[in-house]
Amino acid sequence: MFEMLIPKMRVKTVFDLDLERLYSQGFRGIITDLDNTLVGAKAPLATPELIAWFEKVKKAGFQLVIVSNNQMARVSTFATPLDIRFVHEARKPSNAPFRKAMQMMGLKSEETIVVGDQMLTDVYGGNRLGLFTVLVLPISIQDEGWGTRMNRRLEKIALARLRKKGLWLEEEHQQ
């Protein structure tokens, strides 16, 4: 069970993803979480740096869909001005929102990357469907809601078990 929480890749931020390499490996779509993956949980809009990254993603040949457990108002306020498709109130790690995002992009699991800051929602949900999962460090932990805080406590327990089994090494972050 704990092995399903292990991402295929770990990076500090979305900006550290090697888009060209991932594209050359056959990936064509990115499903990304919103809160604490792209911006802090209380940041309503994208930063100029993130807007530039979205352009880089498009130029590299990727489609992008935001899949968030947050409400319509939050996700729409962020995604709509950027013309980014999204799935709100996703109930990750359920399979349905990931399948919906792949359907929106017209892609298969082997062509799809999931990027998020939580092992219990983004990584576990993506791994269950055979997607390429990428874990980023959370942007603003202090702004997280109670549900995410509970998940973080469970993640600490899971990380302790994974470390004990030798399955989680701190130096694995990609640069």
PDB file of all heavy atoms in Angstrom, residues 75-88:
ATOM      1  N   VAL A  75     -11.312  27.501  -8.314  1.00  0.00           N
ATOM      2  CA  VAL A  75     -10.600  26.975  -9.483  1.00  0.00           C
ATOM      3  C   VAL A  75     -10.902  27.804 -10.726  1.00  0.00           C
ATOM      4  O   VAL A  75     -10.003  28.131 -11.501  1.00  0.00           O
ATOM      5  CB  VAL A  75     -10.926  25.480  -9.701  1.00  0.00           C
ATOM      6  CG1 VAL A  75     -10.079  24.906 -10.825  1.00  0.00           C
ATOM      7  CG2 VAL A  75     -10.706  24.679  -8.413  1.00  0.00           C
ATOM      8  N   SER A  76     -12.145  28.187 -10.905  1.00  0.00           N
ATOM      9  CA  SER A  76     -12.541  28.988 -12.062  1.00  0.00           C
ATOM     10  C   SER A  76     -11.880  30.366 -12.053  1.00  0.00           C
ATOM     11  O   SER A  76     -11.418  30.845 -13.096  1.00  0.00           O
ATOM     12  CB  SER A  76     -14.062  29.140 -12.092  1.00  0.00           C
ATOM     13  OG  SER A  76     -14.455  29.957 -13.150  1.00  0.00           O
ATOM     14  N   THR A  77     -11.826  31.007 -10.884  1.00  0.00           N
ATOM     15  CA  THR A  77     -11.194  32.329 -10.771  1.00  0.00           C
ATOM     16  C   THR A  77      -9.737  32.270 -11.214  1.00  0.00           C
ATOM     17  O   THR A  77      -9.236  33.187 -11.864  1.00  0.00           O
ATOM     18  CB  THR A  77     -11.278  32.843  -9.314  1.00  0.00           C
ATOM     19  OG1 THR A  77     -12.659  33.001  -8.985  1.00  0.00           O
ATOM     20  CG2 THR A  77     -10.556  34.160  -9.135  1.00  0.00           C
ATOM     21  N   PHE A  78      -9.065  31.165 -10.901  1.00  0.00           N
ATOM     22  CA  PHE A  78      -7.666  31.003 -11.280  1.00  0.00           C
ATOM     23  C   PHE A  78      -7.524  30.617 -12.752  1.00  0.00           C
ATOM     24  O   PHE A  78      -6.749  31.218 -13.492  1.00  0.00           O
ATOM     25  CB  PHE A  78      -7.008  29.928 -10.398  1.00  0.00           C
ATOM     26  CG  PHE A  78      -5.568  29.694 -10.732  1.00  0.00           C
ATOM     27  CD1 PHE A  78      -4.570  30.436 -10.111  1.00  0.00           C
ATOM     28  CD2 PHE A  78      -5.189  28.747 -11.683  1.00  0.00           C
ATOM     29  CE1 PHE A  78      -3.235  30.234 -10.435  1.00  0.00           C
ATOM     30  CE2 PHE A  78      -3.859  28.548 -12.008  1.00  0.00           C
ATOM     31  CZ  PHE A  78      -2.887  29.295 -11.378  1.00  0.00           C
ATOM     32  N   ALA A  79      -8.258  29.599 -13.190  1.00  0.00           N
ATOM     33  CA  ALA A  79      -8.040  28.986 -14.506  1.00  0.00           C
ATOM     34  C   ALA A  79      -8.663  29.728 -15.684  1.00  0.00           C
ATOM     35  O   ALA A  79      -8.069  29.792 -16.761  1.00  0.00           O
ATOM     36  CB  ALA A  79      -8.547  27.544 -14.480  1.00  0.00           C
ATOM     37  N   THR A  80      -9.837  30.284 -15.503  1.00  0.00           N
ATOM     38  CA  THR A  80     -10.563  30.900 -16.619  1.00  0.00           C
ATOM     39  C   THR A  80      -9.802  32.042 -17.298  1.00  0.00           C
ATOM     40  O   THR A  80      -9.719  32.069 -18.530  1.00  0.00           O
ATOM     41  CB  THR A  80     -11.975  31.332 -16.179  1.00  0.00           C
ATOM     42  OG1 THR A  80     -12.664  30.168 -15.692  1.00  0.00           O
ATOM     43  CG2 THR A  80     -12.753  31.942 -17.324  1.00  0.00           C
ATOM     44  N   PRO A  81      -9.219  32.990 -16.548  1.00  0.00           N
ATOM     45  CA  PRO A  81      -8.476  34.069 -17.229  1.00  0.00           C
ATOM     46  C   PRO A  81      -7.281  33.558 -18.039  1.00  0.00           C
ATOM     47  O   PRO A  81      -6.826  34.230 -18.957  1.00  0.00           O
ATOM     48  CB  PRO A  81      -7.992  34.963 -16.086  1.00  0.00           C
ATOM     49  CG  PRO A  81      -8.806  34.601 -14.904  1.00  0.00           C
ATOM     50  CD  PRO A  81      -9.247  33.192 -15.100  1.00  0.00           C
ATOM     51  N   LEU A  82      -6.802  32.371 -17.698  1.00  0.00           N
ATOM     52  CA  LEU A  82      -5.638  31.800 -18.381  1.00  0.00           C
ATOM     53  C   LEU A  82      -6.042  30.846 -19.504  1.00  0.00           C
ATOM     54  O   LEU A  82      -5.189  30.282 -20.174  1.00  0.00           O
ATOM     55  CB  LEU A  82      -4.765  31.046 -17.371  1.00  0.00           C
ATOM     56  CG  LEU A  82      -4.248  31.888 -16.204  1.00  0.00           C
ATOM     57  CD1 LEU A  82      -3.652  30.999 -15.128  1.00  0.00           C
ATOM     58  CD2 LEU A  82      -3.227  32.898 -16.701  1.00  0.00           C
ATOM     59  N   ASP A  83      -7.356  30.666 -19.689  1.00  0.00           N
ATOM     60  CA  ASP A  83      -7.886  29.737 -20.689  1.00  0.00           C
ATOM     61  C   ASP A  83      -7.350  28.318 -20.458  1.00  0.00           C
ATOM     62  O   ASP A  83      -6.924  27.638 -21.396  1.00  0.00           O
ATOM     63  CB  ASP A  83      -7.567  30.232 -22.106  1.00  0.00           C
ATOM     64  CG  ASP A  83      -8.415  29.536 -23.155  1.00  0.00           C
ATOM     65  OD1 ASP A  83      -9.554  29.147 -22.837  1.00  0.00           O
ATOM     66  OD2 ASP A  83      -7.919  29.355 -24.285  1.00  0.00           O
ATOM     67  N   ILE A  84      -7.375  27.902 -19.181  1.00  0.00           N
ATOM     68  CA  ILE A  84      -6.940  26.554 -18.822  1.00  0.00           C
ATOM     69  C   ILE A  84      -8.165  25.746 -18.400  1.00  0.00           C
ATOM     70  O   ILE A  84      -8.976  26.202 -17.591  1.00  0.00           O
ATOM     71  CB  ILE A  84      -5.910  26.594 -17.671  1.00  0.00           C
ATOM     72  CG1 ILE A  84      -4.631  27.291 -18.143  1.00  0.00           C
ATOM     73  CG2 ILE A  84      -5.597  25.174 -17.183  1.00  0.00           C
ATOM     74  CD1 ILE A  84      -3.601  27.494 -17.052  1.00  0.00           C
ATOM     75  N   ARG A  85      -8.286  24.558 -18.979  1.00  0.00           N
ATOM     76  CA  ARG A  85      -9.393  23.682 -18.610  1.00  0.00           C
ATOM     77  C   ARG A  85      -9.165  23.140 -17.201  1.00  0.00           C
ATOM     78  O   ARG A  85      -8.025  23.009 -16.757  1.00  0.00           O
ATOM     79  CB  ARG A  85      -9.509  22.535 -19.609  1.00  0.00           C
ATOM     80  CG  ARG A  85      -9.863  23.025 -21.013  1.00  0.00           C
ATOM     81  CD  ARG A  85      -9.808  21.940 -22.026  1.00  0.00           C
ATOM     82  NE  ARG A  85      -8.413  21.503 -22.188  1.00  0.00           N
ATOM     83  CZ  ARG A  85      -8.026  20.518 -22.972  1.00  0.00           C
ATOM     84  NH1 ARG A  85      -8.911  19.828 -23.648  1.00  0.00           N
ATOM     85  NH2 ARG A  85      -6.755  20.199 -23.083  1.00  0.00           N
ATOM     86  N   PHE A  86     -10.269  22.784 -16.524  1.00  0.00           N
ATOM     87  CA  PHE A  86     -10.134  22.321 -15.145  1.00  0.00           C
ATOM     88  C   PHE A  86     -11.261  21.380 -14.742  1.00  0.00           C
ATOM     89  O   PHE A  86     -12.316  21.346 -15.368  1.00  0.00           O
ATOM     90  CB  PHE A  86     -10.079  23.504 -14.178  1.00  0.00           C
ATOM     91  CG  PHE A  86     -11.314  24.353 -14.160  1.00  0.00           C
ATOM     92  CD1 PHE A  86     -12.369  24.069 -13.299  1.00  0.00           C
ATOM     93  CD2 PHE A  86     -11.430  25.456 -15.004  1.00  0.00           C
ATOM     94  CE1 PHE A  86     -13.505  24.858 -13.273  1.00  0.00           C
ATOM     95  CE2 PHE A  86     -12.559  26.254 -14.989  1.00  0.00           C
ATOM     96  CZ  PHE A  86     -13.611  25.950 -14.127  1.00  0.00           C
ATOM     97  N   VAL A  87     -10.977  20.624 -13.696  1.00  0.00           N
ATOM     98  CA  VAL A  87     -11.957  19.783 -13.018  1.00  0.00           C
ATOM     99  C   VAL A  87     -11.938  20.238 -11.572  1.00  0.00           C
ATOM    100  O   VAL A  87     -10.888  20.206 -10.930  1.00  0.00           O
ATOM    101  CB  VAL A  87     -11.586  18.280 -13.118  1.00  0.00           C
ATOM    102  CG1 VAL A  87     -12.583  17.428 -12.351  1.00  0.00           C
ATOM    103  CG2 VAL A  87     -11.473  17.834 -14.569  1.00  0.00           C
ATOM    104  N   HIS A  88     -13.074  20.696 -11.070  1.00  0.00           N
ATOM    105  CA  HIS A  88     -13.159  21.173  -9.686  1.00  0.00           C
ATOM    106  C   HIS A  88     -13.872  20.133  -8.815  1.00  0.00           C
ATOM    107  O   HIS A  88     -14.480  19.199  -9.340  1.00  0.00           O
ATOM    108  CB  HIS A  88     -13.895  22.513  -9.635  1.00  0.00           C
ATOM    109  CG  HIS A  88     -15.330  22.405 -10.032  1.00  0.00           C
ATOM    110  ND1 HIS A  88     -15.731  22.244 -11.339  1.00  0.00           N
ATOM    111  CD2 HIS A  88     -16.460  22.407  -9.282  1.00  0.00           C
ATOM    112  CE1 HIS A  88     -17.042  22.161 -11.380  1.00  0.00           C
ATOM    113  NE2 HIS A  88     -17.510  22.244 -10.148  1.00  0.00           N
TER     114      HIS A  88
END
